[in-house]
Amino acid sequence: MIPGMICIVDDDPLVHFAVKKLIRSVAPEKEIISFSDGAEACAYLRNNAGNDALLPDAILLDLHTPYMPGMMFLELYAEMQPALMKDICIYVISSTLDREEIAAATAQPHVKTFISKPVRKP
């Protein structure tokens, strides 16, 4: 089941386009918000912490974004999560092949799984 609101955090506009198209092909009713880096996503979460209707149900997080890499986002999310009105599922999406990086990301308590780029329809 695809959650209600989905957030994409990735600096590549083509990834935004492809993931939005993929989501809309299987669940056209889902709301999608997107950010080009973790700093923008953190600011959005902080600004809407008290309103669960504005918080995403899932975040698709790239590990390699400018300004705030995905791992830093995960650290800040863990700090702010108690103030959020819901527990958000985080899916790391990345083209990295670094096993240590993948293990570090998936070891984070809010990360559900790692998805390799390019993202494809199951």
Side-chain angles (χ1 to χ4, degrees):
M1 178 181 159
I2 296 177
M5 181 191 295
I6 305 206
C7 173
I8 303 167
V9 181
D10 198 299
D11 60 321
D12 186 342
L14 291 175
V15 170
H16 285 260
F17 175 79
V19 171
K20 286 177 182 179
K21 185 173 181 176
L22 176 64
I23 292 169
R24 290 190 177 119
S25 74
V26 295
E29 74 283 359
K30 301 302 177 190
E31 183 177 354
I32 302 168
I33 57 174
S34 58
F35 303 98
S36 61
D37 65 67
E40 291 175 351
C42 276
Y44 179 86
L45 294 175
R46 278 193 194 102
N47 290 339
N48 295 291
N51 187 344
D52 69 336
L54 295 177
L55 294 175
D57 297 297
I59 297 173
L60 305 176
L61 176 68
D62 184 16
L63 290 179
H64 300 272
T65 59
Y67 310 113
M68 182 184 290
M71 289 303 294
M72 185 180 290
F73 172 86
L74 291 171
E75 291 172 18
L76 291 174
Y77 176 82
E79 292 174 11
M80 77 172 85
Q81 197 282 325
L84 300 176
M85 298 295 292
K86 66 169 82 170
D87 190 25
I88 301 168
C89 297
I90 300 175
Y91 299 88
V92 173
I93 58 171
S94 181
S95 57
T96 187
L97 299 175
D98 184 330
R99 291 177 192 251
E100 290 180 16
E101 187 173 39
I102 294 168
T106 56
Q108 301 299 311
H110 301 288
V111 173
K112 299 300 179 196
T113 194
F114 177 87
I115 302 168
S116 293
K117 286 183 185 178
V119 177
R120 293 186 175 94
K121 195 181 220 180

